[in-house]
């Protein structure tokens, strides 16, 4: 259900076509709420049926047409009520931490490969989050600037501050995952060393008894 409110948040800035909405979604909200096109377009149709948005056909070029969506009063009210309501937390589905709980069932090499891949993934995510933070700080984010143009001057400082706050949280989460995986690599090394030491002791004891 959060998808529709994410779409409303973008459309409240101004009308957009489905294509432009999907593009802005992937470049902003998509960092915190992933949704493919196959979910976005059906959700737009549902939102229109529920009276939260309206779509109108606009001429594009000499022959083309496009459908542009804008938020209705009912949609704006629904969005504000959602923002004021308690957050419905979801139980986590975390495949990486699930796998980590059973790494004893694989080889040290495979465990290291998993952890190195985890680090690479979150380093890539961190780079994106840091990039967004830089764009916000430098006022070079096209989407944020578009939002600020529609925002009363008295509210612009808080708009920027909350965007920074959100991406700082994402960056901190990425750093936490990277640090966790690096501790995992140290754990693999320590456990492997213990296993080898036990094996050497067993071999030595066997040789002495012969």
């Amino acid at each position: 259900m959060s998808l529709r409110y994410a779409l409303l948040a973008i459309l409240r800035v101004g009308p957009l076509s489905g294509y432009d909405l999907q593009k802005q979604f992937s470049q902003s909200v998509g960092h915190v709420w992933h949704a493919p096109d196959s979910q976005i377009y059906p959700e737009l149709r549902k939102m229109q049926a529920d009276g939260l948005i309206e779509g109108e056909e606009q001429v594009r070029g000499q022959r083309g047409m496009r459908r542009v969506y804008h938020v209705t009063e009912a949609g704006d009210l629904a969005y504000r009520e959602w923002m004021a309501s308690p957050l419905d937390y979801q139980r986590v589905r975390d495949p990486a931490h699930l796998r980590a709980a059973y790494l004893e069932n694989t080889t040290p090499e495979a465990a290291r490969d998993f952890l190195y891949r985890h680090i690479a993934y979150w380093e890539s995510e961190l780079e994106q989050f840091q990039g967004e933070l830089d764009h916000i700080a430098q006022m070079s984010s096209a989407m944020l600037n578009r939002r600020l143009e529609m925002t009363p001057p008295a509210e612009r400082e808080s708009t920027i501050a909350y965007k920074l706050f959100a991406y700082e949280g994402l960056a901190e989460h990425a750093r936490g995952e990277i640090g966790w995986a690096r501790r995992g690599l140290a754990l693999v090394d320590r456990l492997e060393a213990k296993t080898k030491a036990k094996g050497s002791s067993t071999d030595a004891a066997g040789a002495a008894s012969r």
Side-chain angles (χ1 to χ4, degrees):
M1 185 61 75
S2 293
L3 174 58
R4 65 173 45 193
Y5 297 110
L7 296 172
L8 285 172
I10 297 174
L11 287 173
R12 288 179 76 248
V13 180
L16 290 170
S17 67
Y19 172 79
D20 290 334
L21 176 60
Q22 184 275 331
K23 185 177 179 180
Q24 288 206 16
F25 187 99
S26 64
Q27 294 176 350
S28 58
V29 178
H31 289 134
V32 293
W33 196 270
H34 174 72
D37 295 355
S38 59
Q39 292 182 6
I40 291 176
Y41 287 99
E43 186 61 30
L44 287 174
R45 290 192 289 270
K46 293 177 184 176
M47 292 165 66
Q48 185 167 0
D50 292 340
L52 302 178
I53 61 174
E54 288 183 353
E56 59 177 315
E57 299 295 330
Q58 288 187 353
V59 177
R60 184 179 186 180
Q62 294 182 341
R63 298 181 179 180
M65 297 288 293
R66 67 173 185 172
R67 190 167 188 79
V68 175
Y69 298 93
H70 64 86
V71 179
T72 63
E73 289 186 10
D76 188 66
L77 177 61
Y79 175 80
R80 292 181 181 276
E81 289 178 344
W82 174 72
M83 284 295 297
S85 65
L87 186 62
D88 181 20
Y89 284 91
Q90 306 285 325
R91 294 303 299 268
V92 175
R93 293 182 178 178
D94 191 326
H97 289 74
L98 173 64
R99 179 172 295 188
Y102 298 99
L103 285 178
E104 73 274 12
N105 295 321
T106 190
T107 64
E109 291 75 17
R112 289 190 186 93
D113 181 68
F114 156 68
L115 292 166
Y116 279 126
R117 288 176 184 273
H118 192 79
I119 290 171
Y121 172 81
W122 283 107
E123 284 181 337
S124 176
E125 291 291 287
L126 178 58
E127 183 178 359
Q128 291 188 55
F129 300 150
Q130 190 58 57
E132 291 297 327
L133 285 167
D134 293 342
H135 283 311
I136 295 170
Q138 297 165 10
M139 298 299 294
S140 58
S141 169
M143 285 179 285
L144 176 58
N145 290 337
R146 179 173 178 267
R147 180 174 292 275
L148 292 174
E149 289 175 1
M150 306 293 293
T151 302
E155 299 176 10
R156 290 174 184 172
E157 181 180 357
S158 60
T159 298
I160 295 170
Y162 283 128
K163 296 297 177 294
L164 284 170
F165 174 67
Y167 278 102
E168 285 168 352
L170 292 172
E172 288 174 7
H173 177 70
R175 293 189 191 98
E177 290 293 330
I178 293 168
W180 170 76
R182 286 175 176 164
R183 292 193 299 275
L185 288 170
L187 175 61
V188 172
D189 290 344
R190 187 165 69 251
L191 292 174
E192 184 180 30
K194 281 187 176 182
T195 300
K196 288 181 178 179
K198 288 180 181 179
S200 298
S201 298
T202 301
D203 292 343
S209 66
R210 288 196 293 270

